[in-house]
Amino acid sequence: MKITVTADVFKLAQVFTISRGSRTEAKVLTVKVEKSGFVGWGECVPYARYNETLESVTAEIAGLPAAFTRAELQDLLPAGAARNAVDCALWDLEAKQAGKRVWELAGLPAPGPEITAYTLSLASPEEMQKQAAENAHRPLLKIKLGTPDDMPRLEAVRAGAPEAKIIIDANEGWSAEVYAELAPHLVRLGVELVEQPLPAGEDDALIGMERPVPVCADESCHDRASLPKLKGKYDVVNIKLDKTGGLTEALKLRQEALALGYDVMVGCMVGSSLAMAPATLLAQGVLVTDLDGPLLLAEDRDEPLKFDAAGVHPPKAALWG
């Protein structure tokens, strides 16, 4: 088995800003796994928040043995970007070897399109109202917040898109006091979900707090090992392949989270259609799908995912799976 790792850069359609900073391009790693004349593909987005870099993730993959199975991979690498790209490439490889689609191999029903959130970049209230108005036709908007001046931004987005459903991602930017103060206004403005309002290390403050709007764990939830720590704090878990370390663990996390009574959101880092493709299988029937990465790009893979009024469609075999 031969594994090749390539660093690729995709320009963004516009500057993308969250509370941690801005970017103009998506830097990803593309993994190619070759075996017996078949080729599988995967993509990951190393994330500085989790102490990952392009170099560190490339080194993790380079340290793998010459041959291993997808099941063995789960113990060879920890949950994270490196394992994600290899895991997804192995799923793609297995599907091609078997002449089947990945969802068949995984015992899943044939997937269909899912309505996806579209993320508005953090900006001034005036700019965010303009962004909201330009995207008011979209059924679900996601707002990046997590600053001391969030209320004017939220009011502006609601004014710009009065009919759209709205979810918020605070990116760990609030304190318990700020969240408690904002909660009634979130209800008033029709916000349907709040992602990670408090820093992951300080989210015990959510225990016993009123949650009039469902609260979703993002940075606080990586894989199944995270679940015991979420009890009493969260209503929803955000599953991202770059956090779980691939589709294999993500499917198990979804099953276990649902069994424990959590709703599920399927999210993404800012990557190409290759990164989103496996996640479309995971997103079938979940509470919230947030796989808009390709919509934020100025350029994408060959055979990109299809986005239309029905949502994000599952990949063609020429892309993945």
Side-chain angles (χ1 to χ4, degrees):
M1 188 163 70
K2 180 184 177 185
I3 301 179
T4 307
V5 183
T6 307
D8 290 310
V9 178
F10 295 90
K11 291 181 181 177
L12 302 188
Q14 60 187 34
V15 178
F16 184 74
T17 301
I18 66 173
S19 58
R20 295 192 191 102
S22 301
R23 70 181 76 174
T24 58
E25 55 192 18
K27 296 180 179 179
V28 310
L29 291 176
T30 305
V31 168
K32 177 183 180 184
V33 178
E34 300 173 78
K35 186 178 181 182
S36 304
F38 294 94
V39 179
W41 296 92
E43 178 185 315
C44 67
V45 183
Y47 201 48
R49 169 64 180 80
Y50 306 132
N51 300 313
E52 295 173 335
T53 65
L54 294 171
E55 294 76 20
S56 72
V57 172
T58 300
E60 280 188 272
I61 298 171
L64 287 168
F68 54 89
T69 65
R70 183 167 49 79
E72 291 167 342
L73 173 67
Q74 309 309 308
D75 295 320
L76 290 171
L77 289 176
R83 194 176 77 189
N84 173 36
V86 179
D87 181 80
C88 290
L90 289 174
W91 274 108
D92 190 35
L93 179 71
E94 290 167 30
K96 288 170 177 170
Q97 289 173 324
K100 296 183 176 182
R101 300 304 305 269
V102 164
W103 58 82
E104 296 177 276
L105 297 182
L108 302 171
E114 289 284 337
I115 293 295
T116 180
Y118 179 81
T119 304
L120 303 183
S121 182
L122 182 65
S124 68
E126 295 75 21
E127 176 58 30
M128 291 187 77
Q129 182 167 345
K130 181 183 174 189
Q131 287 183 57
E134 289 170 353
N135 292 282
H137 63 285
R138 301 184 188 274
L140 179 60
L141 296 179
K142 176 173 171 175
I143 314 172
K144 290 286 190 179
L145 295 178
T147 75
D149 305 306
D150 281 340
M151 272 311 300
R153 291 183 168 95
L154 181 53
E155 298 271 12
V157 169
R158 177 48 84 201
E163 302 300 322
K165 292 182 177 181
I166 291 177
I167 59 176
I168 287 174
D169 186 359
N171 279 119
E172 305 181 277
W174 294 343
S175 65
E177 293 74 23
V178 168
Y179 170 65
E181 183 181 322
L182 290 178
H185 298 288
L186 304 183
V187 174
R188 174 175 60 83
L189 293 167
V191 172
E192 305 211 349
L193 182 82
V194 179
E195 254 186 280
Q196 199 69 41
L198 309 186
E202 300 171 19
D203 60 0
D204 280 355
L206 290 169
I207 297 174
M209 283 186 72
E210 262 193 77
R211 298 196 295 273
V213 174
V215 177
C216 177
D218 183 3
E219 285 84 353
S220 289
C221 181
H222 290 249
D223 55 10
R224 283 173 292 166
S226 304
L227 289 174
K229 303 170 191 171
L230 306 182
K231 190 173 182 181
K233 307 176 192 177
Y234 296 98
D235 311 289
V236 185
V237 297
N238 187 349
I239 303 177
K240 293 178 180 174
L241 297 178
D242 277 314
K243 292 189 301 175
T244 65
L247 183 62
T248 301
E249 173 64 20
L251 289 169
K252 294 174 181 176
L253 172 58
R254 183 180 71 171
Q255 182 178 18
E256 193 163 319
L258 291 170
L260 290 171
Y262 294 100
D263 280 315
V264 168
M265 175 179 185
V266 173
C268 65
M269 308 303 185
V270 182
S272 81
S273 283
L274 178 59
M276 307 301 128
T280 63
L281 309 189
L282 191 66
Q284 298 298 300
V286 301
L287 180 68
V288 176
T289 296
D290 179 24
L291 298 177
D292 63 344
L295 296 177
L296 306 176
L297 302 180
E299 52 194 7
D300 199 356
R301 303 278 181 180
D302 295 336
E303 302 290 345
L305 290 177
K306 178 183 176 183
F307 291 83
D308 60 19
V312 54
H313 290 252
K316 296 178 181 177
L319 173 65
W320 181 88

